[in-house]
Amino acid sequence: MRATERRGRLVLLAPLAGWSTPLDEIPDPVFAGRMLGDGLAVDPTSATLHAPCDGQIIALPESRHAVTLRSDAGAEILMHIGIDTVGLGGEGFEAHVRVGRKVIAGERLITFDLDLIARRAKSLLTPILVMEGCGFTVLRSNESREIAVGDVLMEIAQAGAGEASLPIGADGPGADTARNANAQIRTVRVALEHGIHARPAAQIVSALKSLAGQVDLTIHGHTANARSTVALMKLGVRKGDEVRVRAVGRDAAGAVEAIAAVLAGAHEQTGGPAPAVQHASPSVQPLARATVEVGPGSALPGVVASRGLAVGQAVRLALREIEVTPAGAGISHETLQLEGARAQVRARLEAARATASNTAREIVAAHLELLDDPELTEKSLALIADGASAAYAWRQAIRASVEALRALGDPRMAERVDDLLDLERQVLLSMSGHAIAVAQDLPPDAIVLAEELLPSQLVGLDATRLAGIGLAAGGATSHVSILAAAMGIPALVAVGPGLLRIPEGAALLLDADAGWLHVDPGAERLAAARRELEARTSRRAAEREAAQRDCYTADGTRIEVFANVGSLADAQAAVRNGAEGCGLLRTEFLFLERGTPPSEAEQHAEYQQLAEALAGKPLTVRTLDIGGDKPIPYLPMPAEENPALGLRGVRTSLWRPDLLRQQLRAILGVRPHGQCRILLPMITDVAEIRSVRAMVEEARAQIGRREPIELGVMIETPASALMADALAQEADFFSIGTNDLTQYTLAMDRGHPELAARLDALHPAVLRLIARTAQAAQGRKRMVAVCGGLASDPVAAPILIGLGVQELSAVPSVIPRLKALIRRLTLAECGGIAREALEQASAEAVRASALRRVGRESEYTSGCD
Ligand code: PEP
Ligand code: MG
């Protein structure tokens, strides 16, 4: 049949052979949500794309993965081969036409490598769309059947020329009704302590990832797409509000259930809105700010975001606006521009996520999530359809969300505003051909001063020349502060507007230990600060060098100093810093932020790679420690009133033994056998160890491994500490998780911002439980380690060693310092300090007594970065 165009109607012929599929089936919210336009998808069995009607080619990107043609009457038809194929950069595609060329229906447009795309793209489904805004709508479509090239695919009509959209062959306006038939609607009262802020919004989006269908939330007449964190946050929902949840589609019931659970506070961490990324205990020192003259000799107070000292010259960094042209060059051209730029940014962020340390990875993950936020995409595409350029549309979409979030007046949204503005910049820079956001070259010893700094800007600066950072605004827990701390760059924030009056090139002394920025402090002070810096640098270098040697106390007792690891980058950092092994591999990193669990083979490959990165040193793999506070979409948990006391740690694993069995086999397969040992989280009684040990033996038999494997337990609850003697009969070793042990002993949520200062693992109650655990371990000759945060606290080292701990597993960067301290202590000294600590009445008193006994306070506190 020929494609015909008559009375404002046009028949489109199938451009590919395959199976015609409704757009809802496409694994991409932009297409499934019909943001670009309505139409059908074809799951292709042929590898040549033909013209569906007569027309002119109006868009064909360099990547040749998509093409748009315009019919004589103005219908614009976009054909997009596969999903996420822009990232292939043209590999596997060959175009047979150019922009401007007139083609006739059935003419060959693009040939492609079906196998390559099947392997490399997210999906082969090829949307054939009538572009939004071109004035045509779909009248009938030939969906869910096998089609050959040239079969009738759709009939489309100019607005006003036809009836409502129908599948061809449907006998009335029933298709839409049929789709809506399983709509689920529920009104839910929000129990979340702080309403829908960033974390619950992200939890809702994450919970919906594995569920199909359209889901929205309505309150006070405002409706938001529940797959958009931005839209959800903008609703400004507060505790006690009633929200209408509506879901349509295959998984409607599950979607409503999942959202209701989040809104009921099932996943909430008591105390609420912990930021998306938790700060590695910034030293925040709020200071009264007097109006200060800025000139030679003046000093400006600020809030410490990243400790340290820097001497250098002022380098002013202004965020240069990126110019954009408002008018676009056609819907297809601009749509593909936007798609291309987002794909580039996505690829760069994904690459960064793969290699980043924990901190940076969480920030990157937040950016990735926002990059694909359907509200931003929808708004941008609507603006493009109205004639805007891609850059202008993206900026407007971001700015509208930023304004809406700012209007809520909720300080918890500040981080998200920063993320959005950062993302605006990254996409605009990508459109203008800048792959990396390099803001400006730096002179040596630059102390960068700015009103605010975006994380991507910081990452783009030359770290070898960056000595310090001073910001007029900002907070100690903003993403940029967290990144600065992770990079070891001293930073002061919230210094105030005076900072912006400091002249370019002024000599600066940034004291981010005490919280002052000194402007032109005079040659003498600068020289003294340089001497102090040199002393710190050489002490650190010496400690680092010595860190490569095994650790013994001054009187020859072996203390193993291991590292906690949560990624390959961490393992590499651990080895560089002299870790003698990994005392805790948090395997959660493999399971989060994805739609399906990692396969056994994938897990095995990751563990093997980590074992190799540790170059034969022991690797302690903790089984999945997941629970209600870290929901994973493919593991829907029953709603829990009190997630911290619910299905957590080994309990989750025993509830889903299929996942545990896979993980055990993956660990047991790592070579050489003997390098790995297994650690079980949140154990409270011997039955749990026995169950897992039986599964280990079963898995060992399945993979035919002869050598046994050590099976240890984490002591993280008062119950396990008190029962340590019984547990020691079953377990091969202990590792004390002081983070949870402190939380459960003191009954204080470890993520509670108000309680953070009181949640000190040096509390004598916690120390008494550690003492009891170590005693029980000694009785059975079991090794006892500490892998919680206390192991990274230098003040705690003599106490823990004195209590009988033989292994400390710490964050990699503190290992050289820890080893240096331990080498100066004798076991007798440590025993005395520990005994005295156990007699104190508070954590502060313990800290003071330990410091008094050792008498070298500066070595325990300053410069430990
Ligand atoms: C702990 O609780 O101390 C611990 C090491 O485990 P996590 O911090 O991963 O809960
Ligand atoms: Mg724990």
Side-chain angles (χ1 to χ4, degrees):
M1 178 173 171
R2 262 200 75 72
T4 49
E5 187 154 14
R6 62 185 161 80
R7 295 198 316 280
R9 292 192 182 194
L10 174 64
V11 170
L12 299 183
L13 305 182
L16 287 162
W19 186 264
S20 70
T21 310
L23 291 182
D24 315 63
E25 309 271 312
I26 300 182
D28 182 315
V30 172
F31 292 114
R34 294 167 171 73
M35 292 178 206
L36 289 174
D38 201 0
L40 271 181
V42 176
D43 196 359
T45 50
S46 65
T48 304
L49 185 82
H50 300 264
C53 59
D54 297 350
Q56 185 176 23
I57 304 296
I58 58 167
L60 179 65
E62 267 175 41
S63 44
R64 304 182 293 281
H65 69 293
V67 58
T68 313
L69 64 77
R70 186 189 289 133
S71 79
D72 294 342
E76 291 187 9
I77 316 298
L78 168 73
M79 288 158 284
H80 192 285
I81 303 166
I83 302 301
D84 279 1
T85 39
V86 62
L88 294 177
E91 196 186 340
F93 296 96
E94 188 187 350
H96 305 288
V97 287
R98 283 198 313 273
V99 172
R101 161 98 177 263
K102 291 237 180 210
V103 294
I104 57 166
E107 192 170 334
R108 198 171 62 144
L109 304 179
I110 298 174
T111 43
F112 51 94
D113 183 337
L114 201 60
D115 286 343
L116 180 125
I117 297 169
R119 267 185 285 115
R120 307 259 301 272
K122 190 169 177 184
S123 162
L124 265 177
L125 282 175
T126 296
I128 316 294
L129 303 181
V130 181
M131 295 290 284
E132 185 71 29
C134 73
F136 276 74
T137 54
V138 177
L139 209 53
R140 299 171 198 284
S141 58
N142 205 352
E143 74 180 36
S144 304
R145 67 196 63 194
E146 193 162 359
I147 47 163
V149 176
D151 284 355
V152 172
L153 189 68
M154 283 181 259
E155 191 175 350
I156 65 174
Q158 225 153 7
E163 325 81 75
S165 163
L166 289 178
I168 291 175
D171 56 359
D176 221 32
T177 324
R179 250 186 237 132
N180 280 294
N182 62 350
Q184 297 277 329
I185 297 173
R186 193 186 304 177
T187 301
V188 181
R189 185 176 289 280
V190 176
L192 297 161
E193 197 53 40
H194 300 271
I196 302 186
H197 57 88
R199 185 194 287 274
Q203 282 173 342
I204 291 174
V205 171
S206 158
L208 293 178
K209 275 207 173 114
S210 57
L211 302 172
Q214 191 190 328
V215 194
D216 48 51
L217 257 62
T218 304
I219 181 167
H220 307 319
H222 296 286
T223 296
N225 179 347
R227 294 186 187 279
S228 161
T229 40
V230 173
L232 288 171
M233 289 189 295
K234 278 175 14 188
L235 284 178
V237 173
R238 304 194 171 273
K239 183 177 182 182
D241 283 347
E242 284 204 342
V243 179
R244 194 185 75 134
V245 186
R246 176 179 160 280
V248 184
R250 199 181 60 217
D251 299 327
V256 170
E257 201 55 49
I259 294 182
V262 177
L263 296 184
H267 303 313
E268 193 169 34
Q269 298 196 331
T270 323
V277 176
Q278 305 237 350
H279 191 258
S281 59
S283 165
V284 183
Q285 306 169 5
L287 293 159
R289 185 179 302 117
T291 316
V292 261
E293 275 307 307
V294 179
S298 60
L300 307 178
V303 171
V304 175
S306 170
R307 294 173 71 95
L309 192 63
V311 178
Q313 55 176 310
V315 175
R316 304 273 300 271
L317 202 68
L319 205 59
R320 275 186 238 120
E321 260 306 273
I322 303 171
E323 298 279 329
V324 302
T325 319
I331 300 175
S332 296
H333 175 81
E334 299 299 336
T335 304
L336 293 173
Q337 273 283 104
L338 181 62
E339 190 196 10
R342 285 173 60 231
Q344 249 183 32
V345 172
R346 189 180 301 109
R348 195 157 56 72
L349 290 175
E350 272 166 0
R353 182 166 62 177
T355 53
S357 67
N358 270 343
T359 315
R361 198 169 51 229
E362 287 183 46
I363 295 171
V364 167
H367 287 188
L368 270 168
E369 189 182 292
L370 287 175
L371 183 67
D372 286 328
D373 191 287
E375 163 133 339
L376 296 177
T377 316
E378 211 164 315
K379 175 107 199 193
S380 311
L381 294 173
L383 289 166
I384 289 176
D386 284 347
S389 69
Y392 184 80
W394 180 248
R395 168 168 285 169
Q396 292 303 108
I398 296 257
R399 297 280 165 107
S401 292
V402 163
E403 285 318 308
L405 290 183
R406 280 189 176 146
L408 294 175
D410 182 341
R412 286 186 298 264
M413 299 300 179
E415 261 177 35
R416 287 289 140 145
V417 165
D418 284 355
D419 288 333
L420 282 166
L421 292 173
D422 198 342
L423 211 54
E424 169 191 320
R425 219 177 146 72
Q426 294 182 55
V427 171
L428 295 189
L429 282 168
S430 169
M431 278 182 200
S432 64
H434 293 78
I436 311 166
V438 179
Q440 116 183 26
D441 289 337
L442 295 178
D445 294 329
I447 296 184
V448 163
L449 305 179
E451 168 78 31
E452 293 202 57
L453 200 62
L454 297 172
S456 66
Q457 265 189 308
L458 172 53
V459 172
L461 295 173
D462 180 354
T464 62
R465 292 171 164 237
L466 181 60
I469 297 169
L471 301 184
T477 57
S478 74
H479 280 171
V480 85
S481 300
I482 294 167
L483 257 187
M487 292 164 75
I489 296 167
L492 280 185
V493 298
V495 179
L499 177 131
L500 302 173
R501 297 200 295 274
I502 297 174
E504 179 85 15
L508 298 179
L509 163 54
L510 180 90
D511 183 352
D513 287 324
W516 290 93
L517 178 61
H518 301 272
V519 184
D520 280 333
E524 220 168 285
R525 288 197 69 178
L526 284 173
R530 280 204 187 92
R531 280 195 301 276
E532 168 64 19
L533 258 179
E534 273 162 29
R536 286 188 191 185
T537 311
S538 55
R539 190 179 65 197
R540 233 176 279 150
E543 285 174 357
R544 239 179 131 134
E545 203 182 311
Q548 296 304 330
R549 297 197 304 275
D550 286 350
C551 185
Y552 292 87
T553 58
D555 54 346
T557 306
R558 175 87 169 100
I559 302 293
E560 290 181 307
V561 184
F562 280 30
N564 290 350
V565 166
S567 67
L568 186 60
D570 285 350
Q572 288 156 345
V575 173
R576 275 200 309 279
N577 282 287
E580 297 162 40
C582 162
L584 171 66
L585 171 65
R586 290 185 163 104
T587 56
E588 295 77 62
F589 80 100
L590 278 173
F591 290 79
L592 297 169
E593 292 163 20
R594 48 190 295 159
T596 52
S599 68
E600 190 177 322
E602 190 182 337
Q603 286 189 59
H604 170 74
E606 293 275 355
Y607 303 146
Q608 186 66 50
Q609 208 180 5
L610 282 155
E612 281 158 23
L614 289 170
K617 297 179 173 67
L619 169 57
T620 313
V621 186
R622 180 173 74 182
T623 56
L624 185 59
D625 184 14
I626 209 93
D629 61 332
K630 290 182 203 152
I632 10 187
Y634 52 87
L635 202 65
M637 298 262 186
E640 292 178 330
E641 185 102 336
N642 237 327
L645 306 180
L647 275 178
R648 284 205 49 191
V650 76
R651 301 174 197 166
T652 317
S653 293
L654 292 171
W655 175 69
R656 279 292 303 266
D658 51 325
L659 288 181
L660 179 58
R661 286 198 173 92
Q662 276 190 359
Q663 187 171 30
L664 293 175
R665 283 195 298 267
I667 302 168
L668 283 161
V670 173
R671 289 188 179 270
H673 291 163
Q675 188 179 350
C676 284
R677 52 191 191 187
I678 297 174
L679 182 61
L680 304 175
M682 291 292 294
I683 289 284
T684 48
D685 66 45
V686 291
E688 290 161 330
I689 314 176
R690 288 185 189 139
S691 304
V692 179
R693 196 178 283 282
M695 289 162 77
V696 170
E697 291 314 314
E698 209 179 282
R700 199 150 71 90
Q702 274 172 356
I703 67 164
R705 167 175 161 153
R706 276 208 315 274
E707 299 83 351
I709 192 163
E710 281 188 78
L711 183 63
V713 299
M714 288 193 74
I715 303 294
E716 306 186 90
T717 59
S720 58
L722 294 170
M723 296 300 291
D725 46 352
L727 296 176
Q729 296 188 35
E730 302 288 333
D732 296 320
F733 65 96
F734 285 162
S735 188
I736 303 174
T738 50
N739 306 335
D740 277 315
L741 185 60
T742 309
Q743 142 161 288
Y744 295 119
T745 305
L746 303 185
M748 288 184 189
D749 186 325
R750 59 192 269 187
H752 198 303
E754 294 298 315
L755 299 176
R758 293 172 57 197
L759 200 83
D760 191 336
L762 282 180
H763 192 291
V766 180
L767 295 182
R768 289 181 192 196
L769 289 172
I770 295 176
R772 193 179 169 118
T773 305
Q775 243 172 22
Q778 265 164 12
R780 286 255 152 203
K781 301 211 171 355
R782 301 287 188 246
M783 191 280 290
V784 58
V786 173
C787 65
L790 195 61
S792 301
D793 182 348
V795 181
I799 301 175
L800 294 175
I801 294 169
L803 292 176
V805 169
Q806 296 141 289
E807 175 195 304
L808 296 174
S809 191
V811 295
S813 59
V814 307
I815 289 174
R817 165 55 50 92
L818 270 181
K819 284 190 165 183
L821 283 172
I822 294 167
R823 288 193 177 112
R824 284 199 286 270
L825 298 162
T826 65
L827 206 55
E829 240 182 315
C830 293
I833 297 171
R835 277 191 297 280
E836 195 170 297
L838 289 174
E839 296 311 314
Q840 303 303 316
S842 68
E844 300 82 69
V846 169
R847 213 167 267 283
S849 98
L851 287 169
R852 204 171 41 245
R853 289 287 300 253
V854 181
R856 287 187 290 255
E857 176 155 4
S858 65
E859 289 178 16
Y860 282 86
T861 50
S862 75
C864 189
D865 37 24

